Amino acid sequence: MRLADFIQANTPRILDDAVEFAVTQAPPGANLNVKRLRNDIPKILGEIVLDLRTEQSPAQALAKAHGRAPAPAGPESAASSHGRSRADDGFGVNQMIAEYRALRASVLRLWALDEALATHAIDDMIRFNEAIDQAVAESLVEFSRTLESWRNVFLGALGHDLRGPLTAVVGTADLMVDSTRDTPHARQAERILNGGLQLSRLVDGLLDYSKSMLGGGMKLQRSACDLHQALAEEIDLLRVTLRDAPLSLHVEGETHGHFDDARIREAVHNLVTNAAKYGDQGSAIRVSLHGDTDHVRIAVTNAGEPLSSDALNALFDPLRRGSRAANQGEHSSLGLGLFIVREIATAHGGDVAARVDAGSTTFVITLPRDEARVGVVV
């Protein structure tokens, strides 16, 4: 009997074996949905049977063996559905892959026990293993996507829940700063306030990150504004907190337009603090603003340890950092600052890039001045 016919005729036996093994793999506290499992496995086997009965070229066989076969057109595959359900049930990736190993072993063991293997058996086993490999790849893609989605939901919920207590802390600290001015406790009150404000920025970053990764995107509040004025105010505030880093602002050209100036200030704040943390200690940080007919460009330049262009641009990815200081004490962070900068630029219809020139690092935000070329304003 060919393997496809055997699987079709013995699906109940194979299903019982697979479910029994899956139950042993369920991690403590996992909500194993046995009914959904008993629905998923016959569908996976059905797709494998169809695959075994379909002609394929050597190139198609190799792609499947590597888990790189093109995604099937039409409805979601049973393997993708299985990967999502495993993530929802609380399984780890190793436990999910173990199910496929058990399914593979169960089918081949039962088939070998059922009859003497004929000359076609080798071809059938190769085709079966290729189909299992492709199913694993499809399950992993959906498993990882679902797990990432839950992670972002958790981060969003965490940021939302932290906002209330932090608002109370910052408000109380602000009152303490006013009431202790010109007293021996003034410095301690300022530290509490600055720490609360830093935590608030971190929470806002978590919320922005989770919303962006869940498809919400960066929300803007556009209005007619002058970026020269906005950046001058932000630089003045940064000079207070970054006393050891000389800051300068250089402006040229037309700087008016329709922007979310608060978000632009946030982006510049992130770039300047990033330069102060990871650049040469005490080196000057230059912020330049240049406007022409079509664009406004904001550049932040500082001296520091050189990185390759690929490494610099990878820093815009979330939870990535790159520097000798990246994990040193107060310089440790979640690595969301540059990701937020990129999201702000993208939401404005622009972009951000990094370059290294003769021992200095420059980040450049480019924003279109023509509002008609930008997406919907929220």
Side-chain angles (χ1 to χ4, degrees), residues 122-169:
I122 298 299
D123 290 338
D124 282 357
M125 281 192 287
I126 291 174
R127 286 292 301 273
F128 176 70
N129 284 325
E130 291 167 356
I132 284 287
D133 290 337
Q134 181 60 30
V136 169
E138 292 177 12
S139 283
L140 272 174
V141 168
E142 193 59 35
F143 180 91
S144 300
R145 184 182 295 120
T146 302
L147 208 61
E148 184 65 20
S149 177
W150 279 115
R151 184 179 295 116
N152 293 326
V153 168
F154 166 76
L155 288 176
L158 175 64
H160 184 270
D161 289 346
L162 286 174
R163 252 187 172 168
L166 274 175
T167 299
V169 170

Side-chain angles (χ1 to χ4, degrees), residues 106 208 233 271 296 305 316:
S106 176
D208 287 337
E233 292 174 359
L271 289 178
V296 173
E305 178 183 348
F316 295 111

Side-chain angles (χ1 to χ4, degrees), residues 16-27 32 37 41 82 86 91 95 99 102:
D16 288 341
D17 259 18
V19 171
E20 182 179 356
F21 179 80
V23 170
T24 69
Q25 289 295 297
L32 178 61
L37 178 61
I41 292 177
H82 178 260
R86 278 294 160 273
F91 273 51
Q95 293 155 328
E99 291 185 334

Side-chain angles (χ1 to χ4, degrees), residues 343-361:
E343 292 297 295
I344 291 171
T346 301
H348 280 87
D351 58 41
V352 60
R355 65 174 186 264
V356 175
D357 298 305
S360 66
T361 302

